[in-house]
């Protein structure tokens, strides 16, 4: 048995198929996981369209466009990393992974800056702190905003942790023994997280401007 | 000890699950005992109403998420799936071990909520009660259940990939054992429904912990949105609980009828049909919650549709028995108990799916009785049947057949005595989840409590004689029942990598007409 | 109305309970017959085909028989299920649809942990006990001040969840005088079990006498609503004799309203409540002026019941065109 294959698989192709299937199934459940948030979004938008009209423009669509571009480029570097993992180009792989991490971290930094900005302006999700009366209000809209982008940001953060461990493994492993399967699986995950953002971006930042 | 806690052998992980789940089952059962004692009299005199509310909540949370959902998949499924596929292990052995640790962590969190003072929202966590009004430890408990959900997803992923990628040479989809089909259907639900629950529980924690208005109408949220999410998971979850039981019964009945299953394709397809339709019926929990008439009619119709594949299963099991050679062993008695009680439970489900009838019966003891008939009468019977059937394979020992049969009949009678009165309590109009009740319901409540003592005895017995069999039981041999599955082609218990020679599958899994005769035959005397 | 231990159903006391009971008995008979059939078949098979020397192995199934019987079984169950579904849906339609003979008696119901309070049209309030006349349609307008409750009268075979933030309606017509139990059916906390009330059904003339005797502690609902309407100065836009700026309220209740987005809704309790709290949600089609400001936070749940009661009282008033 080659040393890159684990029980219970017979060969590395067999293992790669299984890992890919497992990752796709995992992403399937992630779709449902985020699906709840998008239904929550739809419900609030149908019941309280006025909130989106009133508070939607408070979101900074220019910054969000830069963030979208950042994530799109990171998807490209991730795709390169997967390619280099298969060709066992170790040095290029390390660079591509590092670039992906840097772009992901830049995204998170912009997100944090944005959060701080909103908190400074009192645009928080909290019902009590904001001093809102009963009923829907800015806390409803910003509650939605923080919950949706927060869970997405957590997924980006998780992706960064996994990317870092991939990078470390690649750093320690000689090129001849590099395993492409984990990079491939993480790549699928990273693209998925980017796609979620591609839905969040128009839904939150652009919706108020289009209606 | 250490080798157990770091094992990646699916058989050992299955036994870890068995041990943990049995502890939770005992705890949930003890709580049920206190509940039944309290309900023996009309006033809330044994415990206060506050305590009672915490007890029924904890009973539900523990039994649903820490026993019923993992019971057959995580224990029997974990143990048997690789064996039935002719594989050395599941696809991701370390993920499998991780799922057990996550499960235990979830259990510890939920138990700590219990020790800290409990939770009183009901296992359904309805908002705005759970998010705004309850003063119990909701956040701790929902995070515990969230972890149990994560563990479910891990198990489901593992089963799906294993079934696709690890089948033995020659084992086509149409040569899969019916138990594998049911596990596969279950795994689809585990993977696609559980994340909805997971996110919902996180949202409850966020709303309660940070005071964000998601489900509380007072601050712009919608409690009905919560119910849609909750039942989008929790109705399929009922099929997570019952489908594996159907799979077990589909193994037991052919074996003890010494006959091929009648309509193999129909049974396999019905498992998938139930999994798919199960996603489309959640609204039948909300007929009186105020959803539109049109929505209620559609959900009612789909609820009847999901009953058709369930009916196919019952018909096929009876067809298998007809003209078979029926051997009434302990596992077979459980299987027949399952078929009978599942028919009653499914039938009463049809009554609840009828819109006009549901208006009267919704949220009454009728629903409690219906649910327990499917879960306790159905699922638990299948679980015990499976446990007795594969016990010789798992332990290598035979248990006392005489005591096994006594316990099985006792459970059947105890079950009927406990829950048939509750059906009538419901039609008479007694709402569920009440610590006290008007005097007029006293007689049936007492009858139910009396039946529960028989039921409790029925649960204690297998615990005793199964443990005794470990020291005193006769060696079982590889194949005491003369069964045809791949799991019987290896030793009892199987070695670490299951098969000395990887098996090759050339025939369908139920070749009973040419099966070896049972070696446990002497039991019958 | 104490049920005996083995009565299947409590005594029926509303005009819809007879039909529901018929359906219950029908579906229970089918469940009973099928369950009994399955049990008998299992016992018969277990005895007749028992494993014994000379009969150690079951017979092979014929594939043709299998296909035919399985498909037949599917067909039969589908037909039976379809029948049950239709009966259930039709019965439900009857429960939901308010009969249009005679003026209904409108009762406001407010649920809060853990009691029920009621308001009669003349302003009479009651706690944990509701007097209604027999033979007349009683229309309930239900709201909750805290968590979800459920209005359940077993004798009427009636149940309706009471959801905070929503205004629901339900109706019944009691057939016989007597006292019937009302229970909360949705778990609502510590004293959920004791959140009960009595529905006292009286002959119509006795009800009128009871109503006359009662020490009414407030003005009639519609009048109270009218007063609130004036205090909030709603008339500035909605009153017909002024230069009307907003859609008229006369004859509005219960009628379809065409909305700006092309859809149409029935002006029921929930619509009116929504339009007061969130006027920009459903704007009337031909209305051109500014949208009314929201009254969320300015009127309580009980006050909303009053405003709706007032608008309801205008259902048959003539609108004066500007």
């Amino acid at each position: 048995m080659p040393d890159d294959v684990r029980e219970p698989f017979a060969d590395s192709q067999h293992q790669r198929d299984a890992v890919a299937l497992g990752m796709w199934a995992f992403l399937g459940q992630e779709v449902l996981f985020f699906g709840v948030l998008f239904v929550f979004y739809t419900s609030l938008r149908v019941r309280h369209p006025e909130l989106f009209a009133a508070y939607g423009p408070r979101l900074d669509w220019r910054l969000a466009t830069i963030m979208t571009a950042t994530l799109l480029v990171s998807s490209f570097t991730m795709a390169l990393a997967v390619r280099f993992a298969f060709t066992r180009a170790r040095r290029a792989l390390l660079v591509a992974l590092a670039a992906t991490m840097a772009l992901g971290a830049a995204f998170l930094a912009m997100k944090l800056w944005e959060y701080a900005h909103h908190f400074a302006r009192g645009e928080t999700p909290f019902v009590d702190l904001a001093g809102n009366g009963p009923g829907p209000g800015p806390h409803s809209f910003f509650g939605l905003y923080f919950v949706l982008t927060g869970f997405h940001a957590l997924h980006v953060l998780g992706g960064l942790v996994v990317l870092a461990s991939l990078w470390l493994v690649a750093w320690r492993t000689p090129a001849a023994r590099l395993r492409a399967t984990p990079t491939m699986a993480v790549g699928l995950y990273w693209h998925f997280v980017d796609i979620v953002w591609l839905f969040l971006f128009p839904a939150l930042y652009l919706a108020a401007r289009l209606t | 000890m250490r080798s157990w806690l770091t094992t990646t052998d699916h058989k050992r992980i299955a036994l870890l699950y068995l041990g943990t789940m049995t502890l939770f089952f005992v705890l949930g059962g003890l709580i049920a005992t206190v509940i039944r004692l309290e309900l023996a009299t009309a006033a809330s005199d044994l415990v206060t109403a506050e305590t009672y509310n915490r007890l029924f909540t904890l009973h539900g949370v523990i039994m649903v998420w820490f026993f019923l959902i993992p019971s057959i998949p995580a224990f029997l499924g974990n143990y048997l799936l690789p064996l039935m596929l002719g594989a050395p292990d599941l696809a991701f052995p370390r993920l499998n071990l991780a799922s057990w640790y996550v499960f235990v962590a979830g259990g510890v969190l939920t138990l700590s909520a219990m020790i800290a003072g409990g939770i009183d929202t009901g296992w359904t966590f309805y908002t705005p009660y759970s998010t705004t009004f309850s003063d119990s430890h909701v956040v701790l408990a929902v995070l515990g259940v969230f972890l149990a959900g994560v563990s479910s997803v891990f198990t489901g992923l593992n089963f799906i990939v294993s079934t696709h990628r690890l089948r033995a040479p020659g084992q086509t989809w149409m040569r899969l054992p019916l138990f594998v089909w049911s596990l596969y259907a279950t795994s689809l639900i585990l993977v696609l429904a559980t994340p909805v629950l997971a996110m919902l529980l996180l949202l409850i924690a966020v709303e309660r912990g940070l005071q964000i208005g998601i489900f509380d109408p007072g601050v712009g949220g919608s409690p009905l949105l919560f119910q849609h999410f909750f039942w989008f998971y929790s109705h399929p979850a009922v099929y997570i609980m019952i489908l594996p039981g159907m799979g077990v019964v589909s193994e037991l009945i052919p074996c003890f009828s010494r006959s091929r299953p009648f309509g193999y394709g129909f049974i396999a397809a019905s498992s998938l049909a139930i999994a798919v339709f199960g996603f489309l019926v959640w609204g039948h929990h909300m007929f009186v919650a105020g959803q539109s008439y049109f929505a209620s009619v559609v959900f009612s119709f789909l609820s009847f549709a999901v009953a058709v594949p369930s009916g196919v299963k019952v018909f096929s099991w009876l067809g298998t028995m007809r003209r078979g050679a029926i051997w009434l062993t302990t596992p077979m008695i459980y299987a027949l108990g399952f078929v009978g009680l599942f028919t009653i439970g499914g039938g009463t489900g049809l009554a609840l799916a009828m819109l006009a009838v549901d208006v009267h019966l919704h949220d009454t003891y009728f629903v409690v009785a219906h649910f327990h008939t499917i879960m306790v009468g159905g699922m638990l019977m299948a679980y015990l049947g499976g446990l007795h059937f594969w016990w010789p394979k798992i332990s290598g020992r035979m248990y006392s057949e005489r005591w096994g049969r006594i316990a099985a009949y006792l459970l059947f009678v105890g079950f009927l005595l406990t829950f048939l009165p509750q059906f009538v309590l419901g039609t008479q109009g007694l709402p569920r989840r009440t610590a006290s009740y008007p005097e007029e319901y006293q007689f049936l409540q007492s009858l139910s409590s009396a039946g529960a003592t028989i039921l409790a005895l029925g649960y204690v017995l297998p615990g005793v004689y199964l443990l005794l069999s470990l020291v005193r039981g006769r060696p079982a041999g590889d194949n005491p029942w003369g069964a045809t599955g791949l799991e019987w082609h290896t030793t009892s218990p199987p070695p670490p990598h299951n098969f000395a020679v990887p098996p090759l599958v050339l025939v369908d899994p139920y070749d009973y007409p040419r099966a070896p005769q049972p070696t446990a035959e002497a039991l019958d005397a | 109305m104490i049920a005996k231990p083995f009565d299947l159903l409590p005594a029926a006391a509303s005009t819809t309970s007879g039909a529901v009971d018929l359906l219950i008995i029908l579906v229970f008979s089918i469940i009973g017959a099928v369950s009994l059939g399955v049990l008998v078949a299992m016992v018969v098979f277990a005895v007749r085909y028992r494993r014994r020397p000379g009969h150690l192995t079951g017979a092979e199934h014929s594939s043709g028989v299998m296909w035919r019987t399985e498909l037949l079984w599917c067909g039969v169950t589908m037909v039976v299920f379809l029948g049950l579904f239709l009966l259930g849906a039709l019965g439900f339609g009857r429960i939901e649809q308010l009969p249009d003979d005679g003026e209904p008696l409108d009762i406001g119901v407010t649920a809060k942990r853990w009691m029920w309070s009621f308001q009669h049209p003349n302003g009479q309030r009651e706690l944990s006990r509701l007097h209604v006349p027999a033979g007349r349609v009683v229309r309930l307008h239900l709201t909750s001040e805290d968590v979800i409750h459920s209005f359940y009268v077993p004798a009427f075979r009636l149940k309706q969840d009471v959801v905070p933030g929503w205004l629901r309606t339900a109706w019944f017509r009691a057939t016989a005088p007597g006292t019937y139990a009302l229970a909360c059916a949705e778990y609502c906390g510590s004293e959920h079990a004791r959140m009960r009330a009595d529905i006292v059904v009286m002959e119509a003339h006795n009800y009128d006498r009871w109503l006359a005797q009662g020490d009414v502690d407030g003005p009639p609902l519609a009048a109270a609503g009218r007063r609130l309407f004036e205090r909030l100065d709603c008339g500035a836009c909605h009153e017909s004799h002024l230069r009307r700026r907003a859609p008229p309220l006369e004859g509005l209740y219960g009628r379809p309203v065409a909305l700006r987005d092309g859809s149409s809704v029935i002006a029921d309790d929930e619509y009116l409540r929504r339009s007061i709290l969130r006027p920009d949600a459903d704007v009337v089609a031909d209305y051109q002026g500014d949208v009314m400001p929201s009254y969320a936070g300015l009127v309580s749940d009980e006050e909303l019941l009053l405003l709706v009661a007032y608008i309801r009282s205008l259902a048959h008033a003539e609108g004066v065109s500007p």
Side-chain angles (χ1 to χ4, degrees):
Chain A
M1 185 181 287
D3 60 344
D4 66 333
V5 178
R6 292 174 193 282
E7 270 293 318
F9 299 105
D11 57 60
S12 56
Q13 184 59 43
H14 189 195
Q15 173 162 318
R16 188 171 303 151
D17 282 355
V19 171
L21 180 64
M23 185 45 85
W24 279 109
F26 176 76
L27 295 183
Q29 73 92 34
E30 287 283 55
V31 169
L32 271 292
F33 192 74
F34 279 102
V36 170
L37 295 181
F38 281 101
V39 174
F40 169 36
Y41 170 91
T42 310
S43 157
L44 192 69
R45 189 143 182 219
V46 167
R47 284 182 298 125
H48 298 295
E50 75 279 5
L51 294 177
F52 286 77
Y55 304 108
R58 306 260 189 103
L59 301 181
D60 186 349
W61 67 271
R62 289 182 187 84
L63 180 65
T65 309
I66 300 172
M67 290 161 74
T68 309
T70 312
L71 277 191
L72 282 177
V73 176
S74 84
S75 254
F76 175 68
T77 55
M78 187 70 229
L80 285 181
V82 174
R83 173 81 196 140
F84 295 141
F86 275 104
T87 57
R88 298 197 165 163
R90 180 166 160 279
R91 189 170 287 272
L93 171 65
L94 286 171
V95 171
L97 284 177
T100 311
M101 278 188 282
L103 289 164
F107 173 86
L108 280 185
M110 284 186 270
K111 196 80 235 167
L112 277 178
W113 186 84
E114 199 184 9
Y115 281 179
H117 182 67
H118 285 301
F119 268 83
R121 298 210 306 189
E123 292 160 349
T124 72
F126 307 123
V127 177
D128 284 344
L129 295 180
N132 298 299
H139 58 270
S140 308
F141 179 80
F142 286 101
L144 176 81
Y145 164 78
F146 278 100
V147 166
L148 260 61
T149 55
F151 275 110
H152 176 258
L154 283 178
H155 275 76
V156 175
L157 189 65
L160 286 184
V161 171
V162 183
L163 282 171
S165 67
L166 270 187
W167 192 89
L168 278 177
V169 170
W171 177 254
R172 290 205 203 114
T173 315
R177 291 179 52 205
L178 268 183
R179 298 167 59 211
T181 307
T183 314
M184 172 209 68
V186 175
L188 285 175
Y189 170 82
W190 190 258
H191 296 315
F192 170 80
V193 174
D194 290 358
I195 290 171
V196 171
W197 177 258
L198 290 185
F199 282 89
L200 287 177
F201 172 53
L204 288 170
Y205 293 85
L206 303 183
R209 295 172 184 281
L210 295 176
T211 46
Chain B
M1 184 69 183
R2 198 189 165 86
S3 71
W4 276 84
L5 292 180
T6 56
T7 183
T8 53
D9 182 351
H10 67 100
K11 298 184 288 299
R12 286 190 157 196
I13 296 170
L15 293 175
L16 288 174
Y17 264 114
L18 171 66
T20 333
M21 277 170 357
T22 307
L23 287 180
F24 279 115
F25 177 73
V26 169
L27 182 62
L30 287 176
I31 295 171
T33 311
V34 181
I35 291 175
R36 265 340 304 175
L37 280 174
E38 162 60 48
L39 291 174
T41 59
S44 66
D45 36 18
L46 179 67
V47 295
T48 62
E50 278 87 2
T51 311
Y52 179 85
N53 295 340
R54 283 165 166 74
L55 287 173
F56 82 71
T57 301
L58 211 56
H59 170 72
V61 168
I62 288 180
M63 286 304 205
V64 168
W65 282 297
F66 295 96
F67 179 71
L68 285 169
I69 285 186
S71 60
I72 292 185
F75 162 49
L76 287 175
N78 223 332
Y79 199 100
L80 293 165
L81 183 64
L83 286 165
M84 288 182 161
L85 296 174
D89 207 321
L90 285 174
F92 309 118
R94 289 184 298 175
L95 186 69
N96 197 18
L97 181 66
S99 88
W100 180 73
Y101 274 105
V102 174
F103 177 72
V104 170
V108 168
L109 266 188
T110 303
L111 290 183
S112 63
M114 170 179 150
I115 292 162
I119 161 169
D120 71 343
T121 61
W123 75 277
T124 45
F125 303 120
Y126 265 25
T127 57
Y129 186 75
S130 64
T131 50
T132 313
F133 289 87
S134 169
D135 53 1
S136 57
H137 297 269
V138 178
V139 174
L140 219 48
V142 296
L143 291 180
V145 175
F146 167 78
L147 289 181
V150 172
S151 141
S152 288
V153 172
F154 287 175
T155 304
L157 283 176
N158 228 334
F159 283 7
I160 289 177
V161 175
S162 303
T163 309
H164 273 277
R165 292 284 182 258
L166 294 182
R167 281 173 283 123
Q171 191 174 46
T172 59
W173 283 88
M174 293 316 275
R175 284 181 188 166
L176 282 178
L178 289 164
F179 183 53
V180 174
W181 271 110
S182 77
L183 282 178
Y184 184 75
T186 307
S187 304
L188 288 179
I189 308 177
L190 279 173
V191 171
L192 293 179
T194 315
V196 173
L197 175 81
M199 180 52 93
L200 184 62
L201 295 170
L202 290 179
L203 289 181
I204 291 182
V206 166
E207 170 153 9
R208 207 181 147 84
L210 302 179
Q211 295 289 304
I212 293 176
I214 302 171
F215 301 122
D216 183 352
V219 287
S222 166
L224 293 184
L225 182 66
F226 173 88
Q227 294 183 21
H228 280 293
F229 284 145
F230 184 81
W231 293 114
F232 182 85
Y233 162 78
S234 288
H235 197 80
V238 177
Y239 297 113
I240 296 177
M241 301 182 231
I242 195 70
L243 270 171
M246 293 169 158
V248 167
V249 168
S250 303
E251 296 293 317
L252 301 188
I253 289 183
C255 177
F256 295 107
S257 303
R258 315 302 304 161
S259 181
R260 277 183 219 279
F262 184 77
Y264 169 93
F266 278 89
I267 300 180
S270 65
S271 289
L272 289 181
I274 288 171
V276 172
F277 278 116
F279 276 101
L280 306 175
V281 300
W282 78 88
H284 68 210
H285 295 267
M286 300 169 64
F287 287 159
V288 299
Q291 69 187 358
S292 74
Y293 175 78
F294 179 72
S296 291
V297 167
V298 170
F299 280 122
S300 168
F301 178 79
L302 290 167
S303 306
F304 278 101
V306 79
V308 173
S310 303
V312 164
K313 290 211 190 263
V314 172
F315 183 77
S316 303
W317 292 325
L318 289 179
T320 309
M321 288 175 67
R322 192 176 154 270
R323 300 181 60 210
I326 293 168
W327 185 22
L328 219 49
T329 58
T330 306
M332 186 62 167
I333 296 168
Y334 279 116
L336 299 188
F338 173 96
V339 176
L341 293 177
F342 175 75
T343 308
I344 297 174
T348 50
L350 289 179
L352 290 169
M354 284 177 79
L355 285 162
V357 175
D358 182 68
V359 171
H360 179 53
L361 297 178
H362 188 81
D363 269 334
T364 65
Y365 264 80
F366 190 87
V367 175
V368 178
H370 156 71
F371 185 66
H372 282 80
T373 306
I374 300 278
M375 291 304 133
V376 184
M379 182 60 177
L380 216 60
M381 287 268 169
Y383 175 76
L384 287 171
L387 184 64
H388 284 82
F389 182 56
W390 283 293
W391 185 261
K393 175 56 56 184
I394 294 167
S395 70
R397 305 280 180 157
M398 298 305 293
Y399 49 84
S400 160
E401 178 67 16
R402 174 187 300 171
W403 281 106
R405 290 180 193 186
I406 290 173
Y409 286 122
L410 214 55
L411 275 171
F412 189 72
V413 173
F415 178 85
L416 289 178
L417 270 176
T418 310
F419 289 101
L420 286 185
Q422 294 189 15
F423 280 117
V424 183
L425 283 170
T427 54
Q428 288 181 352
L430 179 60
R432 66 194 184 132
R433 297 175 163 180
T434 54
S436 56
Y437 50 86
E439 297 276 342
E440 59 196 274
Y441 303 112
Q442 167 94 54
F443 179 79
L444 287 172
Q445 285 280 23
S446 309
L447 193 63
S448 176
S449 291
T453 55
I454 301 180
L455 200 56
L457 185 64
Y459 288 133
V460 171
L461 276 179
V464 175
Y465 64 74
L466 286 179
L467 284 179
L468 271 181
S469 78
L470 291 178
V471 270
R472 298 206 345 216
R474 287 184 297 107
D478 289 356
N479 192 359
W481 311 117
T484 54
L486 285 183
E487 74 271 26
W488 303 102
H489 288 205
T490 182
T491 55
S492 306
H497 292 285
N498 293 347
F499 298 96
V501 182
L504 183 67
V505 179
L506 298 172
V507 290
D508 78 276
Y510 300 101
D511 199 15
Y512 278 102
R514 275 169 293 280
Q517 287 305 320
T519 56
E521 201 105 47
L523 296 173
D524 247 0
Chain C
M1 298 288 125
I2 304 295
K4 291 180 201 71
F6 293 109
D7 281 350
L8 184 64
L9 293 157
S14 81
T15 46
T16 53
S17 41
V20 174
D21 288 2
L22 260 180
L23 292 184
I24 290 180
I25 288 163
L26 171 74
V27 68
F28 280 19
S29 313
I30 294 176
I31 300 166
V34 172
S35 304
L36 202 66
V38 168
L39 285 173
V40 167
M42 286 194 301
V43 171
V44 167
F45 290 167
V47 173
R48 181 157 168 216
Y49 302 115
R50 70 187 175 281
R51 191 160 183 270
R52 53 189 181 269
H55 180 64
L56 292 174
T57 301
E60 293 272 9
H61 308 297
S62 138
S63 164
V65 170
M66 189 274 285
W67 275 98
R68 275 197 301 279
T69 53
E70 291 271 13
L71 289 177
L72 182 70
W73 173 256
C74 285
V76 168
T77 50
M78 273 185 221
V79 169
V80 173
F81 292 172
L82 196 66
L84 289 176
F85 156 73
L86 283 175
L87 288 174
L90 291 174
F92 189 56
R94 222 178 118 179
I95 293 172
E96 294 271 286
Q97 184 64 47
L98 185 81
D100 52 4
D101 50 338
E103 214 26 38
L105 174 65
D106 288 295
I107 303 281
V109 182
T110 309
K112 56 187 161 230
R113 295 186 301 163
W114 292 273
M115 61 189 76
W116 298 96
S117 67
F118 307 97
Q119 291 178 314
H120 291 264
N122 71 344
Q124 172 99 344
R125 286 160 176 273
E126 292 189 87
L127 200 61
S128 300
R129 179 179 282 258
L130 171 66
H131 291 79
V132 289
R136 183 163 169 203
V137 173
V138 176
R139 180 166 54 180
L140 305 161
H141 306 268
L142 309 111
T143 188
S144 162
E145 291 193 353
D146 38 48
V147 300
I148 303 177
H149 302 277
S150 190
F151 185 96
Y152 179 33
V153 184
F156 299 162
R157 315 287 186 266
L158 170 69
K159 189 180 285 121
Q160 174 63 52
D161 282 6
V162 187
V163 184
W166 270 263
L167 194 53
R168 302 267 187 244
T169 54
W171 71 275
F172 64 85
R173 175 156 37 188
T175 48
T179 302
Y180 305 98
L182 157 67
C184 174
E186 186 68 65
Y187 172 71
C188 56
S190 309
E191 296 299 326
H192 163 61
R194 291 207 258 207
M195 189 168 163
R196 286 176 164 263
D198 287 330
I199 309 278
V200 182
V201 176
M202 319 167 89
E203 295 291 1
H205 57 275
N206 287 339
Y207 172 74
D208 292 338
R209 196 179 316 145
W210 174 85
L211 212 54
Q213 285 170 354
D215 43 333
V216 178
D217 48 2
L221 284 196
R226 165 88 206 168
R227 200 165 301 162
L228 187 61
F229 187 82
E230 284 161 1
R231 184 160 64 75
L232 295 169
D233 204 18
C234 310
C237 298
H238 284 286
E239 290 282 272
S240 54
H241 56 270
L242 300 171
R243 198 174 133 264
R244 189 200 299 278
R245 285 186 283 169
L249 302 175
E250 293 83 358
L252 170 67
Y253 190 83
R255 306 270 169 79
V257 179
L259 299 180
R260 197 178 271 175
D261 62 3
S263 64
S264 124
V265 294
I266 300 291
D268 57 3
D269 285 23
E270 185 52 41
Y271 168 77
L272 293 175
R273 182 185 203 285
R274 197 166 59 231
S275 298
I276 297 169
L277 296 180
R278 208 152 50 73
D280 52 352
D282 304 300
V283 182
V284 176
D286 50 3
Y287 178 66
Q288 299 299 336
D290 288 339
V291 170
M292 166 179 137
S294 165
Y295 281 79
L298 298 176
V299 287
S300 70
D301 286 336
E302 292 229 10
E303 287 175 330
L304 274 165
L305 273 178
L306 298 179
L307 286 174
V308 172
Y310 171 60
I311 298 172
R312 193 160 58 232
S313 73
L314 301 176
H316 301 297
E318 284 294 313
V320 183
S321 29

